[in-house]
Every structure is written in structure tokens, then in C-alpha cells.
Amino acid sequence: MAQEDVFKKLVAHCKEYGFVFQSSEIYDGLGAVYDYGQNGVELKNNIKKYWWDSMVLLHENVVGIDSAIFMHPTIWKASGHVDAFNDPLIDNKDSKKRYRADVLIEEQLAKYEDKIEKEVEKAKKRFGESFDEKQFRETNGRVLEVQAKWDELQARFVKALNDSNLDELKQIIIDQEIVCPVSGTRNWTDVRQFNLMFSTEMGSTADGALKIYLRPETAQGIFVNYLNVQKTGRMKIPFGIAQIGKAFRNEIVARQFIFRMREFEQMELQFFVRPGSELEWFQKWKQTRMNWHQALGFGKENYRFHEHDKLAHYANAAVDIEYRFPFGFKEVEGIHSRTDFDLSQHQEYSGKKITYFDPELNESYVPFVVETSIGVDRMFLQIMAATYAEEEVVSEDGKKDMRVVLRIPAPLAPVKLAVFPLMKKDGLAEKAREIIDDLKFDFNCQYDEKDSIGKRYRRHDAIGTPFCVTVDHITLEDNTVTLRYRDTMLQDRIVISDLRSLIAGEVSMKKLFAQL
Ligand code: GAP
């Protein structure tokens, strides 16, 4: 199936099974804003728990906070967001559609990459086992020609970004003959900067109202609480502060479902270190975070690091962790070495001293910071994309059937156990409820008595429930049930009293942590 179709199916599945809904849908929706449904919120909470526990429980020098979304407006002046949190936008005069100029150019680069990959794939098929991919990439004329175009464009693009040269960005779009995907024309406006922050007013009187911003990242809430936490927690450098919370960005191009939203959630860690040690810590966190992703078992080949071509105004090193989505490799998480930029700026703008006295060095300094920043929603989309599968199965009556299954790692699955009475009568329903009552404080359980057992399996496969239990007449005699495993569809007859420990071992976060 084409990757575009897979993605369309995924979006439809998210709605049909109560994972994600368009916000304000009955009013025709609100662009790039989404609500999470009954299964979505469970998955989202589990993602957050996986992250929070891996940061705060597993690192004795990391603590968490929950800062307010509204903050003093000077914070955003100090952080540089008022002046520099911009994206370069360009409009097509015919379609009146707006685009990010940098994204149009990135897509052009991706087209060259695709061309190269297609050449490699063709050659692979042609030469079979004897194919030497490295040699082919280094010597094939067609590949070298496209690679040279890529190199030239990339170099020009990076220079334009680093010089903030908007005219050059437009010139690149013209020279590359990039057309608007809607009108198909090259009738472009000039490139302009567009600030991504939402603002509102706080205060009741028109005169006294204060212009404030909805935070575009949670990180600043950590920086301005650095002193509070360091002092009250008696934290010694190196130490970290973790936070999960909403962030808001007025994205110019909001496409690809929950990949780029205007209201989203971040999980961020600011790790405070001695000046001069930041690049070593940057390397450590880079690897720690990659391990966290790969522990989910979605295939190492589907992740890669992407070094930043243009560093943000606060960073001296930056890398993204990218995942292979159905629409290509895209950023899920950013790791930045933010130097002492933020704390120094807040020191200057607030007039408060923000330093750390290092007893080992017997000196005070402004700490340097390594940040890890991941979007909950992007992580959610990654999990849905990685685990969605359509499979041919043989149904109970021997007929071929299709099932849609979400192979979500059991610790993250919205529902852990579904319990089905074979039929409602003969006390089977009561027995099924008894099992749920006994286990409902340990894991998220669901009772289901409607339709055939096969249909009930399908419903739970579609939301990723790892275990289903069927209560039948034999259960009433010997307290055993049929336990059915989502991934293998195999069934076991087991004693009810063994259910708790068997399921607990599989759904515990420890299962994931053991691989970190
Ligand atoms: N504090 C650093 C920071 O905010 P970022 O690279 O702009 O860095 C970090 O954002 C992460 O937040 C991204 O890797 C992505 O997962 C998520 N994110 C950013 N913008 C987003 C958006 N519009 N919608 C959904 N997730 C977003």
C-alpha cells in the first residue's frame, strides 16, 4: 500500500476508534487543533508516564515541576522569542495559499533524495546479491549528478538561513522552479518573517491590560524556576528539571494531522551543568534519548540523528531524533546544548543573580544547559504509525478475514485487559465482572459482552488491547479462562488467580526500562 494511503487510513482509524478527534468538529473544526478521545487520552497518559518515570524516577538528580502557561511577558523578550521566534513565509498569489519558504526548499531536497533512493532500489533489483550499494552510490553517473544538485542546493539553503537572507530564500525557490502544489504556478510573493507566538491580554481594564503570550515552549518555565528548585531541593550540579505541559505556536503551515499543531504538548528536560562540560553531557543525553525511543521496539533502522544546519539563537550544538513516518523521516525530539544563554538573559532582564556556587571548584558561575525536548503528540503519531497493521487472518468458521491491529507495546496500550463472557446468561456475565473488579485497580480493564467473541477480539485488536480473557461454562467449574494474546492470537487456558501476575509482568513500565 502506498505510504500516503497508510497515513490516510491511520487518520481515519484514530477517529473511528476514539483516539483523536478534530477540535470543534461540529462547528467544522479549528485548523491544526485536535482533541484526544477515550483511547487517545489513555495512550497519551502512558507516553507521558514512560517519559516522566524514565527521567524523574530513573535519575536521582532529576526532579519535576509544573509551571504556569501564563508568564511575565519580559520572559519572552529575554529568551529572544519576541524578536526571533519567526518562520519565513511565502504566499502563492494565484492560489492565495501560504507556505513556509524553508519547508518548500526542504521538500525540494527530499525530492532529490527520493530520486537517489529510487536509482539505488532499481540497481538493487537488477544486480541482486552481488550489489555493492556503497560503490554504486559513489560511482553511478545518475546518482552523482543528483547528489551534486542536492549538495549545491543544501549549501545555498544553509547559507541563506544562517544569514537570515529572505531574498535569497525566494531566489532559491525561483531557481529551483518550485511550484505551488495547489495552483501549479510560480507566482510567489516576497518572503517575510512571521512570529509564531500567540498573544492575549491579562487584566480587566483596557488601560491596565498587559499583553502576554501563550508559551511557545515549556522550557522557559523551568529556567525562571531554576533558583527556586536549586535552593529548595538543595540540588547540586549536574542536575535536571523536567516538565510536561502545553505549548502554543501559530504555525503557518499546519498539515499532517497531529504532527504540526497550534496547541500541543511538550516533555522537556533542562539539565544544568558546569560550563565546559556541556558537549560531553550533550552526547550522553543524545544517546540516552535514542535508547528511550528504541526500547519501544519499532526497529533501529527507523530512527536517525539529524544534525542541525542552522543553530537556534541559543544553541552551540543541536541534533534531532528523527523517525521514519509514512511521509518520510521527520523530527520527533530535539536535543540542544543551550549554553548559558537563557539563564544569563533572565539574570540581565530580571536584575536577579542567577548563579551556582560550585563547592568543588570554589567558584560561582551561570550553569550551562543541555535540553531534551519531545512533543507528546508527535510521539503519539509515531506510535500509531509504527504499530498500525492490516493482516489477513482465518476466522473461527475457517473463512479468510482481515484484522486491523495496533501492536502498541503493552505498557503503553490504552486498555490492558478485556474480559468477555461467552454469553450473558448462566452467571458468566457476573463471573466476568468479578474478574474485572479484582483487577481494575491494577490495570485498565474493559468488559465487553456484545457480538461474537471474534468481533470482540477485532474491536480490541483495533485499539491495541494486549490481552483478552473469555469466561465460559468451564470457568464456573474450575476457575480457568481462555487468555488470548493480541500479537500472536494464540490462546492459553489459565487459572484466574494467575492473571494478575502474568499481565502485570507484561504491562509494567519496568519491561521498557529494562532495555534502557
Ligand atoms: N524548547 C525547545 C523546543 O521547543 P522545538 O524543536 O521547537 O524545541 C521540540 O520543539 C519538540 O516539540 C519537537 O521535536 C516536536 O516533537 C514538538 N513540536 C514542536 N512544534 C510542534 C507543533 N507545532 N506540533 C506538535 N509538536 C511540536
Side-chain angles (χ1 to χ4, degrees), residues 5-52:
D5 296 335
V6 172
F7 190 59
K8 272 188 199 147
K9 283 194 172 192
L10 201 64
V11 175
H13 191 84
C14 280
K15 180 174 179 197
E16 193 180 342
Y17 286 91
F19 282 93
V20 182
F21 306 126
Q22 173 73 60
S23 160
S24 321
E25 194 182 338
I26 58 169
Y27 290 94
D28 295 334
L30 188 65
V33 187
Y34 291 90
D35 299 335
Y36 286 83
Q38 66 280 15
N39 291 316
V41 70
E42 296 291 341
L43 173 57
K44 209 174 173 215
N45 285 342
N46 294 338
I47 294 170
K48 290 193 259 184
K49 184 164 169 53
Y50 177 41
W51 184 87
W52 186 268

Side-chain angles (χ1 to χ4, degrees), residues 4 13-14 45 316 350 365 436 490:
E4 254 174 46
H13 191 84
C14 280
N45 285 342
N316 70 357
S350 69
Y365 52 77
I436 291 195
L490 292 176

Side-chain angles (χ1 to χ4, degrees), residues 375-411:
V376 180
D377 313 271
R378 250 177 227 190
M379 193 60 208
F380 187 109
L381 186 59
Q382 183 198 322
I383 291 169
M384 295 303 280
T387 64
Y388 179 93
E390 291 175 7
E391 295 175 349
E392 199 178 83
V393 290
V394 180
S395 67
E396 285 151 36
D397 51 10
K399 283 193 194 138
K400 281 194 178 158
D401 195 6
M402 284 297 290
R403 75 160 181 164
V404 172
V405 56
L406 293 181
R407 296 179 185 277
I408 301 176

Side-chain angles (χ1 to χ4, degrees), residues 85 216-219 249 251 258-266 268 270 308 314 320-321 331-334 336 338 371 373-379:
F85 195 55
E217 63 171 11
T218 61
R249 294 182 191 177
E251 297 285 358
I258 55 172
F259 183 82
R260 198 176 299 287
M261 303 155 88
R262 297 203 165 101
E263 174 180 339
F264 58 101
E265 215 165 351
Q266 288 186 315
E268 299 203 297
Q270 308 299 318
H308 281 210
Y314 47 71
D320 294 335
I321 292 177
E331 171 189 349
V332 181
E333 170 154 12
H336 310 114
R338 288 179 82 130
E371 168 188 75
S373 175
I374 171 171
V376 180
D377 313 271
R378 250 177 227 190
M379 193 60 208

Side-chain angles (χ1 to χ4, degrees), residues 126-167:
R126 206 177 332 129
F127 295 113
E129 297 242 309
S130 63
F131 182 58
D132 181 341
E133 185 175 328
K134 188 165 174 290
Q135 193 194 18
F136 182 80
R137 284 179 189 272
E138 285 168 3
T139 55
N140 177 270
R142 182 78 193 117
V143 169
L144 291 178
E145 192 187 309
V146 182
Q147 185 64 48
K149 284 187 185 163
W150 187 96
D151 291 342
E152 192 196 333
L153 174 57
Q154 170 77 358
R156 216 177 143 191
F157 178 44
V158 171
K159 185 165 181 344
L161 286 179
N162 282 325
D163 297 347
S164 298
N165 188 341
L166 302 183
D167 292 341

